[in-house]
Amino acid sequence: AQKVTQAQTEISVVEKEDVTLDCVYETRDTTYYLFWYKQPPSGELVFLIRRNSFDEQNEISGRYSWNFQKSTSSFNFTITASQVVDSAVYFCALSDFYNFNKFYFGSGTKLNVKP
Amino acid sequence: GAVVSQHPSRVICKSGTSVKIECRSLDFQATTMFWYRQFPKQSLMLMATSNEGSKATYEQGVEKDKFLINHASLTLSTLTVTSAHPEDSSFYICSAREDRASNQPQHFGDGTRLSIL
């Protein structure tokens, strides 16, 4: 069955600390996509990254970095030097490769960054 | 970039009222759109897949007579919550899938916060 697990319900850090959000997934498919979205208090979903199952290279975008490891079925997200504006709920999601029809979202991790 | 407009952003109404939520893709065609529901502090759950010109496909446990979906054009899908009751209060988010290849397979609207009194 397709499933995404974000075991960390809520994390609190002080500004400038680094923080890693964990994501573990289960899928029967050999090809698939993984995503991270940010949901600020206003509610909209902000796309952060898409990674396909063929590409295990880590990715860095500014203060954000992602570590995809197929061997452990994990797709973790690290924010370096966190800022108050990073406070939000972060969702990891899994979708099928060919149709993008169904997104399986994790339960989300609420990140609180305190000044 | 591609934008999905969802309207209204917030609705407060009395029990028994029917509420219509619109989801529009502004600069791309979307044969397929999706409706999600999110309860407070919970994840997004797919309710239904909306296909232009055909009947929507509902996920297990979602009442099709309660949540009417109409996808009449390539840029507009509507979700009508019929005879809404307090338990229907939730955050509803739509997404649209671009017909052409894209880095983002689904673009999400900003959501509609529905409160039934």
Side-chain angles (χ1 to χ4, degrees), chain B residues 15-55:
Chain B
S15 185
T17 307
S18 291
V19 179
K20 181 186 280 189
I21 303 170
E22 291 186 350
C23 181
R24 291 181 187 274
S25 57
L26 296 185
D27 58 357
F28 64 96
Q29 291 187 335
T31 303
T32 305
M33 293 186 178
F34 306 88
W35 288 96
Y36 294 83
R37 183 174 183 175
Q38 184 181 26
F39 289 108
K41 299 185 180 181
Q42 293 190 26
S43 189
L44 287 79
M45 299 300 295
L46 179 66
M47 297 174 65
T49 302
S50 168
N51 297 294
E52 188 266 339
S54 63
K55 290 183 179 179

Side-chain angles (χ1 to χ4, degrees), chain A residues 58-73:
Chain A
N58 291 334
E59 179 151 344
I60 298 174
S61 176
R63 296 184 296 107
Y64 295 168
S65 62
W66 291 269
N67 185 338
F68 175 32
Q69 298 210 350
K70 276 180 96 167
S71 60
T72 56
S73 297

Side-chain angles (χ1 to χ4, degrees), chain A residues 39 99-102 105-106, chain B residues 34 38 43 59 97 105-106:
Chain A
Q39 187 178 44
N99 297 315
F100 307 118
N101 269 345
K102 190 160 184 174
F105 282 90
Chain B
F34 306 88
Q38 184 181 26
S43 189
E59 294 299 301
R97 189 180 74 188
Q106 289 192 27

Side-chain angles (χ1 to χ4, degrees), chain A residues 35 37 39 41-45 47 50 91 95 99-103 105-108, chain B residues 32 34 36 38 42-44 46 59 91 93 97 102-106 108-110 113:
Chain A
F35 303 83
Y37 286 88
Q39 187 178 44
S42 48
E44 73 274 20
L45 283 176
F47 169 80
R50 180 185 86 170
F91 289 98
S95 85
N99 297 315
F100 307 118
N101 269 345
K102 190 160 184 174
F103 270 42
F105 282 90
S107 53
Chain B
T32 305
F34 306 88
Y36 294 83
Q38 184 181 26
Q42 293 190 26
S43 189
L44 287 79
L46 179 66
E59 294 299 301
F91 191 59
I93 304 179
R97 189 180 74 188
S102 167
N103 187 45
Q104 292 189 50
Q106 289 192 27
F108 288 87
D110 287 348
R113 204 165 298 278

